[in-house]
Coordinates of all heavy atoms in Angstrom, one line a residue:
M1 N 15.5 18.0 -7.2 CA 15.1 16.8 -6.5 C 14.4 17.1 -5.2 O 13.4 16.5 -4.8 CB 16.4 16.0 -6.2 CG 16.1 14.6 -5.6 SD 15.3 13.5 -6.6 CE 16.6 12.8 -7.6
E2 N 14.8 18.2 -4.6 CA 14.1 18.7 -3.4 C 12.7 19.0 -3.6 O 11.8 18.6 -2.8 CB 14.8 19.9 -2.8 CG 14.2 20.4 -1.5 CD 15.0 21.6 -1.0 OE1 16.2 21.8 -1.2 OE2 14.3 22.4 -0.2
Q3 N 12.4 19.6 -4.7 CA 11.0 19.9 -5.1 C 10.2 18.7 -5.3 O 9.0 18.6 -5.0 CB 11.0 20.9 -6.3 CG 9.6 21.3 -6.7 CD 8.8 22.1 -5.6 OE1 9.4 22.7 -4.7 NE2 7.5 22.0 -5.6
L4 N 10.8 17.6 -5.9 CA 10.1 16.4 -6.2 C 9.5 15.8 -4.9 O 8.4 15.3 -4.8 CB 11.0 15.4 -6.8 CG 10.5 14.0 -7.2 CD1 9.4 14.2 -8.3 CD2 11.6 13.1 -7.6
F5 N 10.3 15.9 -3.8 CA 9.9 15.4 -2.5 C 9.0 16.3 -1.8 O 8.0 15.9 -1.2 CB 11.1 15.0 -1.6 CG 11.7 13.7 -2.1 CD1 12.7 13.7 -3.0 CD2 11.3 12.5 -1.5 CE1 13.3 12.5 -3.5 CE2 11.9 11.3 -1.9 CZ 12.9 11.3 -2.9
A6 N 9.3 17.6 -1.8 CA 8.5 18.6 -1.1 C 7.1 18.7 -1.7 O 6.1 18.9 -0.9 CB 9.1 20.0 -1.2
S7 N 6.9 18.4 -2.9 CA 5.6 18.5 -3.6 C 4.8 17.1 -3.4 O 3.6 17.1 -3.7 CB 5.7 18.7 -5.1 OG 6.3 17.6 -5.7
G8 N 5.5 16.1 -2.9 CA 4.9 14.8 -2.8 C 4.9 14.0 -4.0 O 4.4 12.8 -4.1
H9 N 5.4 14.5 -5.1 CA 5.4 13.8 -6.4 C 6.3 12.6 -6.4 O 6.0 11.6 -7.2 CB 5.8 14.7 -7.6 CG 4.7 15.8 -7.8 ND1 3.4 15.5 -7.9 CD2 4.8 17.1 -8.0 CE1 2.7 16.6 -8.2 NE2 3.6 17.6 -8.2
A10 N 7.3 12.5 -5.5 CA 8.1 11.3 -5.4 C 7.2 10.2 -5.0 O 7.3 9.0 -5.5 CB 9.3 11.5 -4.5
V11 N 6.3 10.4 -4.0 CA 5.4 9.4 -3.6 C 4.4 9.0 -4.7 O 4.1 7.8 -4.9 CB 4.7 9.9 -2.3 CG1 3.6 8.9 -1.9 CG2 5.6 10.1 -1.2
D12 N 4.0 10.0 -5.5 CA 3.1 9.7 -6.6 C 3.7 8.7 -7.6 O 3.0 7.9 -8.1 CB 2.7 11.0 -7.3 CG 1.9 12.0 -6.5 OD1 1.3 11.5 -5.5 OD2 1.9 13.2 -6.8
I13 N 5.0 8.9 -7.8 CA 5.7 7.9 -8.7 C 5.7 6.5 -8.2 O 5.4 5.6 -8.9 CB 7.2 8.4 -8.9 CG1 7.2 9.7 -9.7 CG2 8.0 7.4 -9.7 CD1 8.5 10.4 -9.7
V14 N 5.9 6.4 -6.9 CA 5.9 5.1 -6.2 C 4.5 4.5 -6.3 O 4.3 3.3 -6.5 CB 6.5 5.1 -4.8 CG1 6.4 3.7 -4.2 CG2 7.9 5.6 -4.8
L15 N 3.5 5.3 -6.0 CA 2.1 4.9 -6.1 C 1.7 4.4 -7.5 O 1.0 3.4 -7.7 CB 1.2 6.0 -5.6 CG 1.1 6.3 -4.1 CD1 0.4 7.6 -3.9 CD2 0.6 5.1 -3.4
A16 N 2.3 5.1 -8.5 CA 2.0 4.6 -9.9 C 2.6 3.3 -10.2 O 2.0 2.4 -10.8 CB 2.6 5.7 -10.9
V17 N 3.8 3.1 -9.6 CA 4.5 1.8 -9.8 C 3.7 0.7 -9.1 O 3.5 -0.4 -9.6 CB 5.9 1.8 -9.2 CG1 6.5 0.4 -9.2 CG2 6.8 2.7 -10.1
L18 N 3.1 1.0 -7.9 CA 2.3 0.0 -7.2 C 1.0 -0.3 -8.0 O 0.5 -1.4 -8.0 CB 1.9 0.5 -5.8 CG 3.1 0.4 -4.8 CD1 2.7 1.0 -3.5 CD2 3.5 -1.0 -4.6
A19 N 0.4 0.7 -8.6 CA -0.7 0.5 -9.5 C -0.4 -0.4 -10.6 O -1.2 -1.3 -11.0 CB -1.3 1.9 -10.0
I20 N 0.7 -0.2 -11.2 CA 1.2 -1.1 -12.3 C 1.3 -2.5 -11.8 O 0.9 -3.5 -12.5 CB 2.4 -0.6 -13.0 CG1 2.2 0.7 -13.7 CG2 3.1 -1.6 -13.9 CD1 3.4 1.5 -14.1
E21 N 1.9 -2.6 -10.6 CA 2.1 -4.0 -10.0 C 0.7 -4.6 -9.8 O 0.6 -5.8 -10.0 CB 2.9 -3.9 -8.7 CG 3.1 -5.2 -8.1 CD 3.9 -5.2 -6.8 OE1 4.3 -4.0 -6.4 OE2 4.2 -6.2 -6.2
A22 N -0.2 -3.8 -9.3 CA -1.6 -4.4 -9.0 C -2.2 -4.9 -10.3 O -2.8 -6.0 -10.3 CB -2.5 -3.3 -8.4
I23 N -2.1 -4.2 -11.4 CA -2.6 -4.6 -12.7 C -1.9 -5.9 -13.1 O -2.5 -6.8 -13.6 CB -2.4 -3.5 -13.7 CG1 -3.4 -2.3 -13.4 CG2 -2.7 -4.0 -15.1 CD1 -3.1 -1.0 -14.1
W24 N -0.6 -5.9 -13.0 CA 0.2 -7.1 -13.3 C -0.2 -8.3 -12.6 O -0.4 -9.4 -13.1 CB 1.7 -6.8 -13.1 CG 2.6 -7.9 -13.5 CD1 3.0 -8.1 -14.8 CD2 3.2 -8.8 -12.7 NE1 3.9 -9.2 -14.8 CE2 4.1 -9.6 -13.5 CE3 3.2 -9.1 -11.3 CZ2 4.8 -10.7 -13.0 CZ3 4.0 -10.1 -10.8 CH2 4.8 -10.9 -11.6
L25 N -0.5 -8.2 -11.2 CA -0.9 -9.3 -10.4 C -2.3 -9.7 -10.8 O -2.6 -10.9 -10.9 CB -0.9 -8.9 -8.9 CG 0.5 -8.7 -8.3 CD1 0.4 -8.1 -6.9 CD2 1.3 -10.0 -8.3
Y26 N -3.2 -8.8 -11.1 CA -4.6 -9.1 -11.5 C -4.6 -9.9 -12.8 O -5.3 -10.9 -12.9 CB -5.4 -7.8 -11.7 CG -6.8 -8.0 -12.0 CD1 -7.7 -8.5 -11.1 CD2 -7.3 -7.8 -13.3 CE1 -9.0 -8.7 -11.4 CE2 -8.6 -8.1 -13.6 CZ -9.5 -8.5 -12.7 OH -10.8 -8.8 -13.0
R27 N -3.7 -9.5 -13.7 CA -3.6 -10.2 -15.0 C -3.0 -11.6 -14.8 O -3.1 -12.5 -15.7 CB -2.8 -9.4 -16.0 CG -3.6 -8.2 -16.5 CD -2.8 -7.5 -17.6 NE -3.6 -6.4 -18.1 CZ -3.2 -5.6 -19.0 NH1 -1.9 -5.7 -19.5 NH2 -3.9 -4.6 -19.4
R28 N -2.4 -11.9 -13.7 CA -1.9 -13.2 -13.4 C -2.8 -14.0 -12.5 O -2.4 -14.8 -11.7 CB -0.5 -13.1 -12.8 CG 0.5 -13.0 -14.0 CD 1.7 -12.2 -13.7 NE 2.5 -12.1 -14.9 CZ 2.3 -11.2 -15.9 NH1 1.2 -10.5 -15.9 NH2 3.1 -11.1 -16.9
N29 N -4.1 -13.6 -12.5 CA -5.1 -14.3 -11.8 C -5.1 -14.2 -10.3 O -5.5 -15.1 -9.6 CB -5.3 -15.7 -12.3 CG -5.6 -15.8 -13.8 OD1 -6.4 -15.0 -14.2 ND2 -5.0 -16.7 -14.5
W30 N -4.5 -13.2 -9.7 CA -4.6 -13.0 -8.3 C -6.0 -12.5 -8.0 O -6.5 -11.7 -8.7 CB -3.6 -11.9 -7.9 CG -2.2 -12.4 -7.6 CD1 -1.4 -13.2 -8.4 CD2 -1.4 -12.1 -6.5 NE1 -0.2 -13.4 -7.9 CE2 -0.1 -12.7 -6.6 CE3 -1.6 -11.4 -5.3 CZ2 0.9 -12.7 -5.7 CZ3 -0.6 -11.3 -4.4 CH2 0.7 -11.9 -4.6
A31 N -6.5 -12.9 -6.9 CA -7.8 -12.4 -6.4 C -7.6 -10.9 -6.0 O -6.6 -10.5 -5.4 CB -8.3 -13.2 -5.2
V32 N -8.6 -10.1 -6.2 CA -8.6 -8.7 -5.8 C -8.3 -8.6 -4.4 O -7.5 -7.7 -3.9 CB -9.9 -8.0 -6.3 CG1 -9.9 -6.5 -5.7 CG2 -10.0 -8.0 -7.8
R33 N -8.9 -9.4 -3.6 CA -8.7 -9.4 -2.1 C -7.3 -9.6 -1.7 O -6.7 -8.9 -0.9 CB -9.6 -10.5 -1.4 CG -9.4 -10.6 0.0 CD -10.2 -11.8 0.6 NE -9.8 -13.1 0.0 CZ -10.6 -13.9 -0.7 NH1 -11.9 -13.5 -0.9 NH2 -10.2 -15.0 -1.3
D34 N -6.6 -10.5 -2.4 CA -5.2 -10.7 -2.2 C -4.3 -9.6 -2.6 O -3.3 -9.2 -1.9 CB -4.7 -12.0 -2.9 CG -5.4 -13.3 -2.3 OD1 -6.0 -13.2 -1.2 OD2 -5.4 -14.3 -3.0
I35 N -4.7 -8.9 -3.7 CA -3.9 -7.8 -4.2 C -4.1 -6.6 -3.2 O -3.1 -6.0 -2.8 CB -4.4 -7.3 -5.6 CG1 -4.1 -8.4 -6.6 CG2 -3.7 -6.0 -6.0 CD1 -4.7 -8.2 -8.0
I36 N -5.3 -6.4 -2.7 CA -5.5 -5.3 -1.7 C -4.8 -5.6 -0.4 O -4.1 -4.7 0.1 CB -7.0 -5.2 -1.5 CG1 -7.7 -4.6 -2.7 CG2 -7.3 -4.3 -0.2 CD1 -9.2 -4.6 -2.7
T37 N -4.8 -6.8 0.1 CA -4.1 -7.1 1.4 C -2.6 -7.1 1.2 O -1.9 -6.7 2.1 CB -4.5 -8.4 2.0 OG1 -4.3 -9.5 1.1 CG2 -6.0 -8.4 2.4
T38 N -2.1 -7.4 0.0 CA -0.7 -7.4 -0.2 C -0.1 -6.0 -0.4 O 0.9 -5.6 0.2 CB -0.3 -8.2 -1.5 OG1 -0.8 -9.6 -1.2 CG2 1.2 -8.2 -1.7
L39 N -0.8 -5.2 -1.3 CA -0.3 -3.9 -1.6 C -0.9 -2.7 -0.8 O -0.3 -1.7 -0.7 CB -0.5 -3.6 -3.1 CG 0.2 -4.5 -4.1 CD1 -0.2 -4.1 -5.5 CD2 1.7 -4.6 -3.9
G40 N -2.0 -3.0 -0.2 CA -2.8 -2.0 0.5 C -2.0 -1.3 1.7 O -2.0 -0.1 1.8
P41 N -1.3 -2.1 2.5 CA -0.5 -1.4 3.6 C 0.5 -0.4 3.0 O 0.7 0.7 3.5 CB 0.1 -2.6 4.3 CG -0.8 -3.7 4.1 CD -1.3 -3.5 2.7
A42 N 1.2 -0.8 2.0 CA 2.2 0.0 1.3 C 1.6 1.3 0.8 O 2.1 2.4 1.0 CB 3.0 -0.7 0.2
V43 N 0.4 1.2 0.2 CA -0.3 2.3 -0.4 C -0.7 3.3 0.7 O -0.5 4.5 0.6 CB -1.5 1.9 -1.2 CG1 -2.4 3.1 -1.5 CG2 -1.1 1.2 -2.5
L44 N -1.2 2.7 1.8 CA -1.6 3.6 3.0 C -0.4 4.3 3.6 O -0.5 5.5 4.0 CB -2.4 2.8 4.0 CG -3.8 2.4 3.5 CD1 -4.4 1.3 4.4 CD2 -4.7 3.6 3.4
I45 N 0.7 3.6 3.8 CA 1.9 4.2 4.4 C 2.4 5.3 3.4 O 2.8 6.3 3.9 CB 2.9 3.1 4.6 CG1 2.5 2.2 5.8 CG2 4.3 3.7 4.9 CD1 3.3 1.0 6.0
L46 N 2.4 5.0 2.2 CA 2.8 6.1 1.2 C 1.9 7.3 1.2 O 2.4 8.4 1.1 CB 2.9 5.5 -0.2 CG 4.1 4.6 -0.5 CD1 3.9 3.8 -1.8 CD2 5.3 5.4 -0.5
L47 N 0.6 7.1 1.4 CA -0.3 8.2 1.5 C 0.0 9.0 2.7 O -0.1 10.3 2.7 CB -1.8 7.7 1.5 CG -2.3 7.2 0.1 CD1 -3.7 6.6 0.3 CD2 -2.2 8.3 -0.9
G48 N 0.3 8.4 3.8 CA 0.6 9.1 5.1 C 2.0 9.8 4.9 O 2.1 11.0 5.3
T49 N 2.9 9.2 4.2 CA 4.2 9.9 3.9 C 4.0 11.1 3.0 O 4.6 12.1 3.2 CB 5.1 8.9 3.2 OG1 5.3 7.7 4.1 CG2 6.5 9.5 2.9
R50 N 3.1 11.0 2.0 CA 2.8 12.1 1.1 C 2.2 13.2 1.9 O 2.6 14.4 1.7 CB 1.9 11.7 0.0 CG 1.8 12.7 -1.1 CD 0.8 12.3 -2.2 NE 1.0 13.2 -3.4 CZ 0.6 14.4 -3.5 NH1 0.1 15.0 -2.4 NH2 0.8 15.1 -4.6
A51 N 1.3 12.9 2.8 CA 0.7 13.9 3.6 C 1.7 14.7 4.5 O 1.7 15.9 4.6 CB -0.4 13.3 4.5
A52 N 2.6 13.9 5.1 CA 3.7 14.5 5.9 C 4.6 15.4 5.0 O 5.0 16.5 5.5 CB 4.5 13.4 6.6
L53 N 5.0 14.9 3.9 CA 5.9 15.7 3.0 C 5.3 17.0 2.6 O 6.0 18.0 2.4 CB 6.3 14.8 1.8 CG 7.3 13.7 2.0 CD1 7.4 12.9 0.7 CD2 8.6 14.2 2.4
T54 N 4.0 17.0 2.4 CA 3.3 18.2 1.9 C 2.8 19.1 3.0 O 2.2 20.1 2.7 CB 2.2 17.8 0.9 OG1 1.2 17.0 1.6 CG2 2.7 17.1 -0.3
G55 N 3.1 18.7 4.2 CA 2.7 19.6 5.3 C 1.2 19.5 5.7 O 0.7 20.5 6.3
A56 N 0.6 18.4 5.4 CA -0.8 18.2 5.8 C -1.0 18.1 7.3 O 0.0 17.9 8.0 CB -1.4 17.0 5.1
S57 N -2.2 18.3 7.8 CA -2.5 18.2 9.2 C -2.1 16.8 9.7 O -2.2 15.8 8.9 CB -4.0 18.4 9.4 OG -4.4 18.1 10.7
W58 N -1.8 16.7 11.0 CA -1.4 15.4 11.5 C -2.4 14.3 11.3 O -2.1 13.2 11.2 CB -1.1 15.6 13.0 CG -2.3 15.9 13.9 CD1 -2.9 17.1 14.2 CD2 -3.2 14.9 14.5 NE1 -4.0 16.9 14.9 CE2 -4.2 15.6 15.1 CE3 -3.2 13.5 14.5 CZ2 -5.2 15.0 15.8 CZ3 -4.2 12.9 15.2 CH2 -5.2 13.6 15.9
I59 N -3.7 14.7 11.3 CA -4.7 13.7 11.1 C -4.6 12.9 9.8 O -4.8 11.7 9.7 CB -6.2 14.3 11.3 CG1 -7.2 13.1 11.5 CG2 -6.6 15.1 10.1 CD1 -7.3 12.6 12.9
W60 N -4.2 13.6 8.8 CA -4.0 13.0 7.4 C -2.7 12.2 7.3 O -2.6 11.4 6.4 CB -4.1 14.1 6.3 CG -5.4 14.8 6.3 CD1 -5.7 16.1 6.6 CD2 -6.7 14.1 6.0 NE1 -7.0 16.3 6.5 CE2 -7.7 15.1 6.1 CE3 -7.0 12.9 5.6 CZ2 -9.0 14.8 5.9 CZ3 -8.4 12.6 5.4 CH2 -9.3 13.6 5.5
V61 N -1.9 12.4 8.3 CA -0.6 11.6 8.3 C -1.0 10.4 9.1 O -0.6 9.2 8.7 CB 0.5 12.4 9.0 CG1 1.7 11.5 9.2 CG2 0.9 13.6 8.2
S62 N -1.6 10.5 10.3 CA -1.9 9.4 11.2 C -2.9 8.4 10.7 O -2.8 7.2 10.9 CB -2.2 9.9 12.6 OG -3.4 10.6 12.6
L63 N -4.0 8.9 10.1 CA -5.1 8.0 9.7 C -4.7 6.9 8.7 O -4.9 5.7 9.0 CB -6.3 8.8 9.1 CG -7.2 9.4 10.1 CD1 -8.3 10.2 9.4 CD2 -7.8 8.4 11.0
P64 N -4.0 7.2 7.6 CA -3.6 6.1 6.7 C -2.5 5.2 7.4 O -2.5 4.0 7.1 CB -3.0 6.8 5.5 CG -2.9 8.2 5.8 CD -3.7 8.5 7.0
L65 N -1.7 5.8 8.2 CA -0.7 4.9 8.9 C -1.4 4.0 9.8 O -1.0 2.8 9.9 CB 0.3 5.8 9.6 CG 1.2 6.7 8.8 CD1 2.1 7.5 9.7 CD2 2.0 5.8 7.8
A66 N -2.4 4.4 10.6 CA -3.1 3.6 11.5 C -3.9 2.5 10.7 O -4.0 1.4 11.1 CB -4.0 4.4 12.4
A67 N -4.5 2.9 9.6 CA -5.3 2.0 8.8 C -4.4 0.9 8.1 O -4.9 -0.2 7.8 CB -6.1 2.8 7.7
S68 N -3.2 1.2 7.9 CA -2.3 0.2 7.3 C -2.1 -1.0 8.2 O -1.9 -2.2 7.7 CB -1.0 0.8 6.9 OG -0.2 1.1 8.0
F69 N -2.1 -0.9 9.5 CA -1.9 -2.0 10.4 C -2.9 -3.1 10.3 O -2.5 -4.3 10.1 CB -1.7 -1.5 11.8 CG -1.3 -2.6 12.8 CD1 -0.1 -3.2 12.7 CD2 -2.1 -2.9 13.9 CE1 0.3 -4.2 13.5 CE2 -1.8 -3.9 14.8 CZ -0.6 -4.6 14.6
P70 N -4.2 -2.8 10.4 CA -5.1 -4.0 10.3 C -5.1 -4.6 8.9 O -5.3 -5.8 8.8 CB -6.5 -3.4 10.6 CG -6.3 -1.9 10.7 CD -4.9 -1.6 10.8
L71 N -4.8 -3.9 7.9 CA -4.7 -4.4 6.6 C -3.4 -5.3 6.5 O -3.5 -6.4 5.9 CB -4.6 -3.3 5.5 CG -5.0 -3.7 4.1 CD1 -6.3 -4.4 4.0 CD2 -5.0 -2.4 3.2
H72 N -2.4 -4.9 7.1 CA -1.2 -5.7 7.2 C -1.5 -7.0 8.0 O -1.0 -8.1 7.5 CB 0.0 -5.0 7.9 CG 1.2 -5.7 8.1 ND1 1.9 -6.3 7.0 CD2 1.9 -6.1 9.2 CE1 3.0 -6.9 7.5 NE2 2.9 -6.8 8.8
L73 N -2.2 -6.9 9.1 CA -2.5 -8.1 9.8 C -3.4 -9.1 9.0 O -3.2 -10.3 9.0 CB -3.3 -7.8 11.1 CG -2.4 -7.1 12.2 CD1 -3.3 -6.7 13.4 CD2 -1.3 -7.9 12.6
A74 N -4.3 -8.5 8.2 CA -5.1 -9.4 7.3 C -4.2 -10.1 6.3 O -4.5 -11.2 5.9 CB -6.2 -8.5 6.6
D75 N -3.2 -9.4 5.8 CA -2.3 -10.0 4.8 C -1.5 -11.1 5.5 O -1.4 -12.2 4.9 CB -1.3 -9.0 4.2 CG -0.4 -9.5 3.2 OD1 -0.8 -10.3 2.4 OD2 0.8 -9.2 3.2
L76 N -1.1 -10.9 6.7 CA -0.4 -12.0 7.4 C -1.2 -13.2 7.6 O -0.8 -14.3 7.5 CB 0.2 -11.4 8.7 CG 1.3 -10.4 8.7 CD1 1.7 -9.9 10.1 CD2 2.5 -11.0 8.0
A77 N -2.5 -12.9 8.0 CA -3.4 -14.0 8.2 C -3.7 -14.8 6.9 O -3.7 -16.0 6.9 CB -4.7 -13.5 8.8
R78 N -3.8 -14.1 5.8 CA -4.0 -14.7 4.5 C -2.8 -15.5 4.1 O -3.0 -16.7 3.7 CB -4.3 -13.6 3.5 CG -4.5 -14.2 2.1 CD -4.5 -13.1 1.0 NE -3.3 -12.3 0.9 CZ -2.2 -12.7 0.2 NH1 -2.2 -13.9 -0.4 NH2 -1.1 -12.0 0.2
Q79 N -1.6 -15.0 4.3 CA -0.4 -15.8 4.0 C -0.2 -17.0 4.9 O 0.2 -18.0 4.4 CB 0.8 -14.8 4.1 CG 0.8 -13.8 2.9 CD 2.1 -13.0 3.0 OE1 3.1 -13.5 3.4 NE2 2.0 -11.8 2.6
T80 N -0.5 -16.8 6.1 CA -0.4 -18.0 7.1 C -1.4 -19.1 6.7 O -1.0 -20.2 6.7 CB -0.7 -17.5 8.5 OG1 0.3 -16.5 8.8 CG2 -0.5 -18.7 9.5
K81 N -2.6 -18.7 6.4 CA -3.6 -19.7 6.0 C -3.2 -20.3 4.7 O -3.3 -21.6 4.5 CB -5.0 -19.0 5.8 CG -6.1 -19.9 5.5 CD -7.4 -19.2 5.4 CE -8.5 -20.1 5.1 NZ -9.8 -19.4 5.0
K82 N -2.7 -19.6 3.7 CA -2.3 -20.1 2.4 C -1.1 -21.1 2.6 O -1.0 -22.1 1.9 CB -1.9 -18.9 1.5 CG -1.6 -19.3 0.1 CD -1.3 -18.1 -0.7 CE -0.9 -18.5 -2.2 NZ -0.6 -17.3 -3.0
A83 N -0.2 -20.8 3.5 CA 0.9 -21.6 3.8 C 0.6 -22.9 4.5 O 1.4 -23.8 4.7 CB 2.0 -20.9 4.5
G84 N -0.7 -22.9 5.0 CA -1.1 -24.1 5.7 C -0.6 -24.2 7.2 O -0.7 -25.3 7.8
T85 N -0.2 -23.1 7.7 CA 0.3 -23.1 9.1 C -0.7 -22.4 10.0 O -0.3 -22.0 11.1 CB 1.7 -22.4 9.2 OG1 1.6 -21.1 8.7 CG2 2.7 -23.2 8.4
G86 N -1.9 -22.2 9.6 CA -2.9 -21.5 10.4 C -3.2 -22.3 11.6 O -3.2 -23.5 11.6
R87 N -3.4 -21.6 12.7 CA -3.7 -22.3 14.0 C -5.1 -22.0 14.4 O -5.7 -21.1 14.3 CB -2.8 -21.8 15.0 CG -1.4 -22.2 14.7 CD -0.4 -21.8 15.9 NE 0.9 -22.4 15.8 CZ 1.9 -22.0 15.0 NH1 1.7 -20.9 14.3 NH2 3.0 -22.6 15.0

């Protein structure tokens, strides 16, 4: 189990599950933009986690983590607008 995490393959498994979820959502007529804003922050955080687990340089840990925030904000804005509570 230790090797699964040290190699980053544990994150790869979760990324594969997210890819399956993206396909599932697409087949249920979700817009690609909505899929990206919904799952994108998780994917980016997982990429940063994978970089940290495998001993990558700090830049490869921080860049995807930082990039996840504006994508998360885009998802929140999309959900707020969809709910009809946009200001």
Side-chain angles (χ1 to χ4, degrees):
M1 189 62 87
E2 182 178 334
Q3 182 59 27
L4 181 68
F5 284 88
S7 67
H9 292 312
V11 172
D12 295 339
I13 293 167
V14 179
L15 287 170
V17 171
L18 286 174
I20 292 167
E21 182 179 1
I23 292 166
W24 184 79
L25 292 171
Y26 183 75
R27 288 185 176 175
R28 274 147 188 78
N29 297 320
W30 275 48
V32 173
R33 175 185 61 241
D34 294 343
I35 295 170
I36 290 171
T37 58
T38 300
L39 300 180
V43 169
L44 289 168
I45 290 169
L46 285 167
L47 290 174
T49 301
R50 189 182 197 290
L53 287 172
T54 58
S57 170
W58 68 270
I59 194 82
W60 297 113
V61 176
S62 63
L63 279 177
L65 294 178
S68 71
F69 184 61
L71 199 52
H72 176 61
L73 291 177
D75 182 43
L76 290 175
R78 179 189 63 82
Q79 288 183 30
T80 301
K81 184 177 180 182
K82 186 177 178 180
T85 58
R87 293 182 168 85

